[in-house]
Amino acid sequence: MKNILFILTFIAMLCATYTSLVYAPTEVVMGHIQRIFYFHMGTVWAATIAFIVVFVASIMYLVKEKRKWDIIAYSAAEIGVLFITLTIITGSIWAKPVWGTWWTWDPQLTTTFILWVLYVVYLLLRSGAGKGERAAKYSSIFAIIAFIDLPLVYISARLKRGISPVVFGPGGGGIAPEMLYTLLVSLVAFTLLFIILLKQRIKIIKMRDTLESLKYSGEK
Amino acid sequence: MNKIAAIFWKDIITEIRSKEIFPIMLIFGILILLIFNFAFEFRSEITPNAISAMLWITFIFAGLLSLSRSFALEKENDALLSLVITPADKTYIYIGKLLSNFVLVFLMELIIIPVFILFFNLDFSSNLLSVLGVVALGTFGFIAIGTFFSSMALNTKMKELMLPVLTFPIIIPVIITSVKICSSILDGKDFSQYKSSLQVLVTFDIIFAVACAVLFEYLIEDS
Amino acid sequence: MGFEIEISNLKKNYSYLTAISDLNARLEKGDFITLFGPNGAGKSTLLKILSTLLKPSEGNVVISGHDLGKNRNEIRKIIGFVSHQNMLYENLTAFENLKFISTFYSIKKPDEICGKLLQDIGLYERRSDPVKTFSSGMKQRLSIARTLINNPKILFLDEPYNGLDQEGIESFSSILSDLKSKGHTIFLTTHNIDEGLELSDRLMILNKGKLVFDQKNIYRKEEFKEIYFSVLKN
């Protein structure tokens, strides 16, 4: 079962690489650089799932107080930070030739950046709040507030600036069906990648738990 | 209700007697203004946006000083435990502390604003009241989050260091909106032009205060 | 017969450290129980669990018929908690400290009760002085008065003698024996076997999270000292 997931992810990533680099037509205006967008969307998608998982697991932890939920939240947050970092990097690489700048403070980018900051702080808080239940509880609380905060950041950033150019999606006009397929393949691949990373991370933390408890019982 | 009043009264009377937080917060705020004054040499031409940005930076840094001290006082002698162990709803503690922190910080702001006007030779006379109103609303949101996280930060290893790191990213929406409205007012814009932003700010305040009030019990019990 | 405090299979882990392992005890109403044990034995943890400040990892506690896991607020109405930290606000006066706390127990006629408590502990004359001007003994007495504000049936005292001078210890002990005679159930922890032995009806020893000794107090100080050290060695 575990191997099937590995193989599926591997195949999906290969497909995504092929479709986005070869299969998808070259965008007329932006040229080849637009192809990075399929990965960009993939990472932002995976990060979004990750942060939703953090949010749900945090609520579950506060209610149930079971270590299981804490491990899930922690693992998902780490992976989320990884993906959102990739999102920002791929986005910048794309933006430089297209917009002529690495970075601009439009609402989406602002929110993405704050999102990155929030979950880095989450990881900081985890290491700063010590071990055990308190760290778990505090970081759950922070994760919940951070999640509520995100839409507010977006709203306020929109208030401040004009609305950013829509590149994809409903407002972006007609896109070639091949592009849409490519995007879908990419999203599936990154979803699988997220699941597999999450499972691995959870496993590692559980192993570390076991190791620590063995160590402590040995000392007694 | 009288529980909230009791916390509020206790904090205010403690501050009146010890004079521990307020003077330092105020001096710190004035020092920040001084630094701004030296840093910017463009006395004649300051945009409204820069004015409101400077004001809010001052408020937040000075306000954070007061917040971290406020819960440190509760931790002295473990006094907070004597409240936790009562059968009363813990939300009252949060609301009481929110109000007392708000009053202290807002008082500081009331003094800082005239000093600011003096330092930078500004003229607020026509819209001072609207500015104060926005400052009050923005401060409330900031203090709602800050009060909550100051009680969390004190239980972490890094204590006071952790407070700004936790608070800043969360209060960004409140700050962006407040700065925006303040600069609209100072720009002489009409009320209808920033009315929707004002509604958004009030909504933020409510969301933050309610979320923190609900989560406070989890924060303060069993730690 | 019903017990005032019933502890069943209580466990508490701090991440991987076991603070209390599988503790069982039945405590009778009106008893003065003293829990001895070296530092780090888990005494404070146990007391915090009993006084609703910490949740146990496993097991259950029933206090005066109320289940700790389900009915925390009911228990909070009938217990008091004193630790070596006096839990007072330094800038408030003695009277203000008591009155402040009384608000949270929704007590009627707080002025009367606070005045009475201050008289009982002999601090009525100093009622309008800020607590920061008090000696540590006076603070500890006031701390006891604070915890008596809701007239608790059960009192938990965590190392209350810590940091007190000889005079403080004596006046504190006399308050405790007074409370005992009034029928309060008292549960005290200490790491010093010279303290609290004469007052106790029941003696317990906690070592490394385990209850290793639990007997009625029929011992003289020297006898118990011997028992204490021999128990700790094992």
Side-chain angles (χ1 to χ4, degrees):
Chain A
M1 182 60 213
K2 196 171 63 188
N3 286 332
I4 292 173
L5 191 61
F6 262 117
I7 294 162
L8 269 181
T9 313
F10 184 68
I11 294 171
M13 286 312 280
L14 278 183
C15 286
T17 313
Y18 173 78
T19 49
S20 54
L21 293 184
V22 181
Y23 169 72
T26 310
E27 220 267 352
V28 189
V29 186
M30 297 181 234
H32 283 302
I33 186 67
Q34 184 265 346
R35 292 176 189 277
I36 202 173
F37 226 80
Y38 301 112
F39 285 98
H40 182 65
M41 291 304 277
T43 53
V44 80
W45 171 256
T48 311
I49 303 179
F51 295 132
I52 292 173
V53 170
V54 177
F55 178 62
V56 174
S58 297
I59 292 180
M60 291 307 285
Y61 180 78
L62 280 191
V63 177
K64 303 261 184 211
E65 295 190 1
K66 289 274 178 289
R67 171 85 175 135
K68 181 178 82 177
W69 293 110
D70 180 44
I71 295 175
I72 295 175
Y74 184 25
S75 314
E78 280 188 339
I79 299 165
V81 168
L82 172 70
F83 277 120
I84 203 75
T85 310
L86 290 175
T87 305
I88 292 174
I89 293 171
T90 52
S92 292
I93 294 173
W94 173 84
K96 182 63 185 167
V98 177
W99 286 348
T101 170
W102 295 108
W103 187 261
T104 167
W105 291 102
D106 84 343
Q108 276 161 6
L109 292 190
T110 309
T111 311
T112 312
F113 180 68
I114 304 295
L115 177 72
W116 183 82
V117 172
L118 280 172
Y119 286 92
V120 169
V121 169
Y122 172 92
L123 296 179
L124 276 179
L125 176 62
R126 283 211 74 105
S127 59
K131 270 186 175 178
E133 285 159 31
R134 180 181 290 169
K137 200 168 66 170
Y138 284 6
S139 38
S140 304
I141 291 172
F142 184 81
I144 293 170
I145 294 184
F147 196 82
I148 298 172
D149 193 49
L150 282 172
L152 309 190
V153 173
Y154 185 72
I155 293 168
S156 62
R158 268 177 77 107
L159 274 181
K160 184 143 179 64
R161 295 280 160 109
I163 296 146
S164 76
V166 179
V167 185
F168 257 152
I175 56 167
E178 289 88 353
M179 285 183 172
L180 193 63
Y181 299 147
T182 309
L183 181 61
L184 288 177
V185 170
S186 171
L187 294 191
V188 170
F190 275 93
T191 311
L192 287 171
L193 182 62
F194 166 72
I195 294 172
I196 218 163
L197 284 176
L198 184 65
K199 285 185 100 169
Q200 290 299 313
R201 196 71 191 101
I202 290 173
K203 215 168 101 185
I204 291 173
I205 296 183
K206 280 189 174 157
M207 276 155 77
R208 206 172 56 197
D209 272 12
T210 322
L211 183 70
E212 292 275 325
S213 64
L214 282 174
K215 211 166 76 187
Y216 274 107
S217 59
E219 273 169 14
K220 271 206 142 179
Chain B
M1 205 56 210
N2 53 0
K3 297 184 180 77
I4 298 173
I7 299 263
F8 179 77
W9 167 85
K10 189 265 299 168
D11 279 2
I12 298 295
I13 206 129
T14 301
E15 182 53 31
I16 290 173
R17 284 183 193 157
S18 69
K19 298 173 195 69
E20 203 172 295
I21 301 171
F22 193 77
I24 292 183
M25 174 168 66
L26 191 61
I27 291 296
F28 186 59
I30 292 173
L31 285 176
I32 298 174
L33 287 187
L34 207 65
I35 291 172
F36 277 135
N37 204 18
F38 289 139
F40 298 106
E41 291 280 354
F42 51 164
R43 271 167 191 281
S44 51
E45 273 300 320
I46 318 174
T47 62
N49 199 12
I51 293 175
S52 49
M54 279 191 270
L55 263 186
W56 278 100
I57 292 172
T58 312
F59 293 164
I60 286 167
F61 278 93
L64 273 177
L65 269 192
S66 135
L67 287 173
S68 61
R69 189 62 200 145
S70 155
F71 258 96
L73 280 177
E74 299 287 342
K75 282 270 156 185
E76 215 176 70
N77 297 339
D78 256 350
L80 191 60
L81 262 193
S82 71
L83 292 177
V84 174
I85 205 170
T86 65
D89 194 333
K90 303 304 169 292
T91 313
Y92 296 127
I93 302 177
Y94 171 71
I95 300 174
K97 293 216 71 87
L98 163 59
L99 293 179
S100 64
N101 283 333
F102 174 77
V103 166
L104 281 183
V105 173
F106 191 60
L107 264 180
M108 176 270 291
E109 293 168 345
L110 282 183
I111 302 175
I112 288 286
I113 289 177
V115 176
F116 186 75
I117 294 175
L118 215 77
F119 275 14
F120 288 86
N121 281 317
L122 301 168
D123 182 18
F124 274 28
S125 50
S126 56
N127 37 32
L128 186 62
L129 274 182
S130 353
V131 170
L132 285 184
V134 176
V135 166
L137 283 176
T139 305
F140 185 84
F142 160 48
I143 299 295
I145 290 292
T147 302
F148 186 83
F149 282 126
S150 64
S151 70
M152 181 187 281
L154 271 177
N155 277 325
T156 64
K157 264 187 280 179
M158 289 166 269
K159 297 220 176 356
E160 280 89 347
L161 272 182
M162 205 69 204
L163 177 62
V165 178
L166 292 172
T167 312
F168 281 165
I170 304 280
I171 58 168
I172 280 172
V174 170
I175 301 309
I176 294 180
T177 321
S178 306
V179 170
K180 161 107 177 146
I181 302 174
C182 275
S183 49
S184 299
I185 295 174
L186 294 177
D187 220 5
K189 287 207 173 112
D190 200 50
F191 176 69
S192 60
Q193 277 172 292
Y194 56 84
K195 189 179 153 217
S196 63
S197 303
L198 207 59
Q199 286 166 338
V200 169
L201 182 58
V202 173
T203 317
F204 288 172
D205 282 0
I206 295 171
I207 291 175
F208 280 149
V210 171
C212 291
V214 170
L215 288 169
F216 191 70
E217 177 142 1
Y218 292 103
L219 181 65
I220 203 170
E221 295 272 5
D222 314 298
S223 49
Chain C
M1 79 177 254
F3 292 97
E4 192 72 342
I5 303 176
E6 291 179 64
I7 307 168
S8 344
N9 304 74
L10 189 71
K11 275 184 199 160
K12 179 69 190 177
N13 308 316
Y14 290 116
S15 58
Y16 311 107
L17 270 172
T18 308
I20 292 172
S21 55
D22 210 24
L23 197 143
N24 286 286
R26 308 259 176 284
L27 309 178
E28 271 164 56
K29 197 174 173 177
D31 262 8
F32 191 116
I33 303 120
T34 305
L35 178 70
F36 296 91
N39 286 329
K43 302 186 301 291
S44 280
T45 304
L46 176 61
L47 216 65
K48 278 197 167 157
I49 291 174
L50 294 181
S51 52
T52 73
L53 290 171
L54 270 182
K55 278 188 188 149
S57 307
E58 278 171 51
N60 197 22
V61 178
V62 177
I63 294 178
S64 209
H66 300 294
D67 195 309
L68 186 75
K70 293 171 199 142
N71 241 334
R72 185 146 78 169
N73 270 351
E74 286 305 312
I75 295 177
R76 284 181 175 176
K77 284 179 193 164
I78 55 162
I79 61 163
F81 178 69
V82 177
S83 85
H84 47 94
Q85 292 280 353
N86 57 48
M87 300 195 251
L88 300 168
Y89 289 97
E90 299 269 340
N91 285 300
L92 298 188
T93 68
F95 186 79
E96 285 167 344
N97 258 295
L98 294 187
K99 193 162 175 201
F100 175 65
I101 284 298
S102 76
T103 320
F104 293 87
Y105 287 100
S106 308
I107 281 163
K108 294 181 185 92
K109 296 189 193 164
D111 290 17
E112 244 169 73
I113 292 175
C114 297
K116 169 103 187 13
L117 283 171
L118 284 171
Q119 266 162 357
D120 288 353
I121 57 161
L123 284 175
Y124 192 73
E125 275 66 44
R126 303 282 310 264
R127 66 187 178 279
S128 316
D129 292 343
V131 166
K132 63 181 167 198
T133 63
F134 285 14
S135 71
S136 58
M138 288 157 78
K139 284 181 186 170
Q140 197 61 308
R141 266 145 65 201
L142 187 61
S143 187
I144 273 270
R146 193 209 72 240
T147 206
L148 291 174
I149 200 108
N150 56 331
N151 195 20
K153 288 158 73 178
I154 307 163
L155 274 175
F156 295 105
L157 309 159
D158 187 12
E159 303 266 2
Y161 293 105
N162 262 18
L164 294 190
D165 54 14
Q166 195 52 40
E167 192 190 352
I169 290 174
E170 272 162 28
S171 70
F172 192 74
S173 288
S174 79
I175 291 176
L176 286 188
S177 77
D178 189 41
L179 289 172
K180 183 188 165 187
S181 68
K182 282 180 185 160
H184 294 272
T185 308
I186 297 173
F187 194 110
L188 183 145
T189 71
T190 176
H191 65 275
N192 187 348
I193 30 177
D194 292 327
E195 296 160 353
L197 194 62
E198 301 88 42
L199 286 168
S200 312
D201 301 311
R202 187 162 169 185
L203 304 172
M204 291 179 166
I205 300 175
L206 194 69
N207 192 25
K208 291 179 185 161
K210 288 198 177 82
L211 195 59
V212 287
F213 180 88
D214 182 5
Q215 294 277 318
K216 284 223 176 303
N217 183 12
I218 46 165
Y219 302 99
R220 280 180 293 121
K221 199 177 257 178
E222 289 70 28
E223 288 176 326
F224 184 67
K225 240 177 206 172
E226 250 171 59
I227 296 171
Y228 181 74
F229 287 114
S230 73
V231 161
L232 288 194
K233 259 179 216 154
N234 296 332

